[in-house]
Amino acid sequence: MAQSRSLGLDFAVVQSYCELTKPRVVSLLIFTAMVGMLLASPARMADIHWTVILWANIGIALASGAAAAINHVVDRQIDGQMRRTHTRPLPNDAISVTGALVFATVLMALSVLVLTVFVNKLTAILTMAGLVGYAGIYTGFLKRRTPQNIVLGGAAGAVPPVLGWAAVTGHAPLASWVLFLIIFLWTPAHFWPLAIYRRDDYARVGIPMMPVTRGIRYTSWLILGYTVATVLATQVPYMIGMAGKPYIIGADILGVGFLYHALRLIYAPDRHNPMRMFGYSIAYLTILFAALLADHYMVGL
C-alpha cells in the first residue's frame, strides 16, 4: 500500500513538471516548426533527412518547455489569482520555485546541446533567441508594462518555422520569414479574444491587456485589423511561388471564416463569441499550415 502511494505521488509530481512545459502550446510550436522543416526539404519523402528533423524537434521542444517553465515561475503570483491559471503547479505548491528553475535550466542546457551537436549552430542560436524573447522580454518585461505586450512578444511564438527551415538547410531564407509574418500577425487576432473573455481576471491582477486598458470594442476593431492583415499575409506564399493553387484555395476559404468570426465580435457581440474566435483561430493556423504541406507534396497539380 505504501509503495502504491509512493508511485501515485511520483506520478503526480511528474505530471506537474509536464504541466510546467505547457504541452498544448508547445505542440503547436513544434507543428509550425515541423512545417518549416518539411517545406525546406525535398518534395520526395525518400530524400528527407528524418534524423535531423527528429533531433531538431527534440531540441526545439526542450527549449519551448524551458521557456514555458520560466513563464510559470515569473507569473506564479498572478497565476494564483486568476481563475484560468490558479490550479497550475506553482500556485498549488505542487512544485517549488527552485525545482521549476532547475528543471527549466536542465531543459535549456539539453536543448543547446542537442541543437548544436546534432543539428547546427544557427538553429541553436535562433532557438535561444526565441526563448529569451518569450521568457525574458515578453514574460518578464512587456506583459506587465504595455497593452501591446502580445504584439511585441508575438515574435517569439512566430519563430518556430524559421527554426525548422534553418535546421534543415543551415540558413533562414525569405520563405521562412513569410511563415514568421503569418504567425506574427495571427497572434493578436488569436490571443486578444481570450483576453476579452478573461478581461476581469487580467484587470484584477493588474496586467494591462488591451481589453483592460482600451476596452472591448476598441480591442475588437484591432482584432479585425490583425485578422485582415493575416489573411493578406497568407496570400504571399502563392504570390512568390512558394505554394500553388491547392494552398491558396484552402487559405482563402479559411480566411473567410476567420473574418466572419472577427466581424461577429463587433457587429454581433456575445459573451461566447470571443472564445469561438479563439477556438477557430487555432484550427485556422493548423489547417492553413497543413494546406501548405499538402500543396508542397502534391505532384502534378
Side-chain angles (χ1 to χ4, degrees):
M1 182 67 74
Q3 183 180 6
S4 175
R5 284 199 206 99
S6 175
L7 289 173
L9 176 61
D10 290 344
F11 176 76
V13 172
V14 170
Q15 191 174 34
S16 294
Y17 276 105
C18 287
E19 189 178 343
L20 281 185
T21 65
K22 298 188 179 181
R24 285 187 294 180
V25 175
V26 169
S27 64
L28 185 58
L29 296 177
I30 292 301
F31 171 70
T32 58
M34 186 73 174
V35 170
M37 294 176 202
L38 292 176
L39 289 178
S41 300
R44 277 170 38 89
M45 290 288 181
D47 297 329
I48 296 174
H49 300 295
W50 292 109
T51 303
V52 172
I53 287 176
L54 173 63
W55 284 115
N57 278 318
I58 291 172
I60 294 168
L62 288 168
S64 300
I70 295 170
N71 174 268
H72 275 272
V73 171
V74 176
D75 283 351
R76 65 189 183 279
Q77 292 180 334
I78 64 173
D79 281 349
Q81 301 174 56
M82 296 180 66
R83 286 190 296 271
R84 183 173 65 93
T85 57
H86 74 278
T87 60
R88 284 178 173 177
L90 290 176
N92 251 354
D93 293 324
I95 296 174
S96 68
V97 172
T98 301
L101 287 173
V102 170
F103 179 63
T105 302
V106 170
L107 292 182
M108 195 185 315
L110 287 173
S111 173
V112 172
L113 178 65
V114 166
L115 293 175
T116 303
V117 173
F118 298 106
V119 186
N120 57 60
K121 290 181 180 178
L122 175 61
T123 306
I125 291 170
L126 290 174
T127 302
M128 287 304 105
L131 186 153
V132 171
Y134 176 74
I137 298 173
Y138 167 69
T139 302
F141 181 75
L142 293 172
K143 187 172 183 178
R144 291 160 174 78
R145 287 171 174 80
T146 171
Q148 294 289 338
N149 47 26
I150 198 64
V151 178
L152 302 172
V159 80
V162 181
L163 305 181
W165 214 292
V168 171
T169 67
H171 60 277
L174 174 63
S176 67
W177 291 103
V178 169
L179 302 182
F180 172 94
L181 177 65
I182 291 171
I183 301 175
F184 179 77
L185 294 172
W186 165 88
T187 301
H190 157 69
F191 187 82
W192 276 336
L194 176 63
I196 289 175
Y197 189 77
R198 298 293 185 183
R199 179 178 180 271
D200 292 342
D201 262 358
Y202 285 116
R204 185 169 54 254
V205 298
I207 299 297
M209 287 296 175
M210 191 64 73
V212 175
T213 62
R214 300 300 299 270
I216 292 175
R217 187 160 182 82
Y218 180 86
T219 305
S220 297
W221 277 103
L222 283 182
I223 290 170
L224 177 60
Y226 275 100
T227 302
V228 171
T230 303
V231 172
L232 291 175
T234 62
Q235 309 302 300
V236 176
Y238 179 72
M239 293 168 61
I240 65 174
M242 179 181 167
K245 288 183 180 179
Y247 160 77
I248 198 62
I249 292 170
D252 288 345
I253 293 172
L254 288 167
V256 169
F258 207 17
L259 289 168
Y260 167 77
H261 281 284
L263 286 167
R264 280 182 62 83
L265 292 179
I266 299 170
Y267 295 108
D270 176 280
R271 65 183 301 268
H272 299 294
N273 279 345
M275 289 308 291
R276 293 187 184 109
M277 173 78 173
F278 178 75
Y280 182 84
S281 69
I282 297 172
Y284 171 83
L285 189 70
T286 303
I287 299 172
L288 180 80
F289 274 53
L292 269 172
L293 277 185
D295 181 276
H296 181 66
Y297 287 99
M298 282 181 178
V299 179
L301 293 178

